[in-house]
Amino acid sequence: MTQIAVPLVSPEPPIPEQLTQVQAAGANLVELRVDLIADEDAVRAALAAPRTLPLILTVRSQAEGGAWDGDDAQRVALIESLGLQLPGYVDVELATWERSANLRQKVGLVCDRLDAPSTPGARRKNQLILSLHDLTGTPDDLSAVFDRLEAAPAHVLKAVFTPRDVRDALRVLEQLALRARRRSWIALAMGDAGLITRVLAAKFNALLTFAAQHAAAASAPGQMPLELLLEQYRFRSISAATRVYGVVGWPTAHSLSPLLHNRWMRQAGIDGVYLPLPVSPSYEAFADLMQTVQRFAQLDLHGLSVTIPHKEHALRWLREHGAAISPAAQSAGAVNTLLREAGGAWRGDNTDGAGALHALHAAGCGTLAQRRVLVLGAGGAARGVAAALIAAGAQVTIVNRSADRAADLGAALNCTAGAWEQRAALPADIVINCTSVGMSPEVDQTPLPAAGLRRRPLVLDTVYRPRVTRLLREAQAAGCPIVSGVDMFLAQAALQFQLWHGASPPPGDAAAPGDAEAALRAALDA
Ligand code: NAP
């Protein structure tokens, strides 16, 4: 079973107290980051006290992302004296190990020898972790770096990289998948793009992953709080059989889709995990991601949400690969959902438009046939929403700040394009904001002057951060029925869930602990 190690980075509260807390919270191991704790006496006292968790003793150098700025000789002496108190594991950087005969000798004395059979009944010394932290990138020839570590005489090998985006993190996982059955490995990528390596450590049989006591106590970029790893990502239930889903975008750190889909899967008893997958903005990067996941069969990637700026890239990639594309995605000119079919082929769909229609119907708007709908915006969301409205028989007028984009979309969908400046005067039964105006942090903006609300149209704002935008507030004050972008978001996500899992998400129950929809609304209000 892959363990969870929690680093301690401060002498306060007292270390024995912290050990009790993190053990109760679910940690299997604790890393004493002596360089960050910066209180050798506190560490020494903690090592002398009785304890029930194995410890990793680490005095990380600045060169590899730590805070130790003393010389090697002092560090070796410190590791030796603390190591004699038998924490369980001693972590030393491979670079230091290779350059310092003194360190090899002293650390060798406090660690079990790999080549010596253990004598029955003999007290075990420590296990040696040799580690490598690349703070600048992820080398192209990752295999050579892993080979170098694998040749080292350690019980555990640890490799940590800085990814450009999730593609590098996936390459790290590919190496882990190849090697973790024959040696004990820890292989991670840092930052938001590395989140997948922290969660899927359990799928690929790593010795351990790291999680922080809380957000402010992370010892490395991208290290998530233990609670998030256990609750949202259900780390304890991840195994080799767990299916992987995720959201591809740039950035993805603020996406609420992981919260929603992971909770729905938990409620439905599905063995799957949904992860943020940030991919650099170019088409080439997107195509490279798809090539990587095709090659990496053990990843078991079964479905993707696609968001800005990759919706058009996904459509292009599917076309270039002769893959199936739904009519909704064809007419929207964008794909927001990818699913892998039984034979391994990818299929593209778009649930944005259907999600908007679903939210309108749920709000009691009745038939859309012959209804006059004013769509503000001509970007990806507008395309999907307008195409679905037209398919439902609505009379759509598109207006956009950049008039040429409105004209192009009107021509592509065979509907009217109006002037942005005239938007408040255009007659409409329904107004749908598909611009990003009013989105956090610019919450005091609105895409529609108050005059546009005088005739009391129904107003749907696709923006869902904040949950109630200025447009919705003003519409409500003017007596208009309103529909929140959260309802559209939930509806389009539910359609994705249906496509991937063949069933609707479990019904929401706001009173039930862990209810996905209630958690989403709470996260938006936080
Ligand atoms: P996009 O492709 O980048 O399009 C952005 C649109 O907003 C364009 O029409 C753009 O006009 C317009 N715009 C941006 N700043 C503006 C300003 N200051 N004044 C006037 N117009 C402005 O983005 P998208 O994918 O369509 O997303 C748009 C919004 O829809 C986002 O807020 C997104 O969160 C939301 N959305 C919600 C859901 C949901 O489920 N609720 C689903 C998808 C999208 P120009 O062409 O002139 O630049």
Side-chain angles (χ1 to χ4, degrees), residues 265-417:
M265 284 193 282
R266 177 200 287 244
Q267 285 174 268
I270 292 168
D271 184 7
V273 63
Y274 184 104
L275 298 155
L277 307 171
V279 174
S280 311
S282 69
Y283 174 70
E284 288 66 33
F286 179 83
D288 188 36
L289 169 82
M290 295 307 287
Q291 196 181 346
T292 304
V293 301
Q294 307 257 82
R295 178 183 71 217
F296 190 7
Q298 279 168 279
L299 183 63
D300 285 329
L301 186 71
H302 282 265
L304 291 171
S305 307
V306 185
T307 186
I308 298 171
H310 290 304
K311 289 183 184 184
E312 285 83 9
H313 297 156
L315 181 69
R316 176 177 158 191
W317 187 86
L318 291 166
R319 283 186 176 146
E320 286 180 1
H321 289 77
I325 302 166
S326 74
Q330 296 275 19
S331 52
V335 162
N336 83 333
T337 312
L338 285 167
L339 59 144
R340 203 166 204 172
E341 299 187 297
W346 285 98
R347 181 151 70 89
D349 209 331
N350 191 316
T351 63
D352 281 341
L357 262 50
H358 192 282
L360 288 171
H361 288 312
C365 90
T367 177
L368 287 162
Q370 303 307 318
R371 304 287 291 281
R372 296 165 303 176
V373 185
L374 177 64
V375 173
L376 307 173
R383 260 195 111 92
V385 170
L389 288 164
I390 291 165
Q395 293 174 11
V396 173
T397 301
I398 293 166
V399 295
N400 190 51
R401 177 181 62 176
S402 312
D404 52 342
R405 286 186 84 191
D408 288 350
L409 186 53
L413 298 180
N414 201 17
C415 67
T416 311

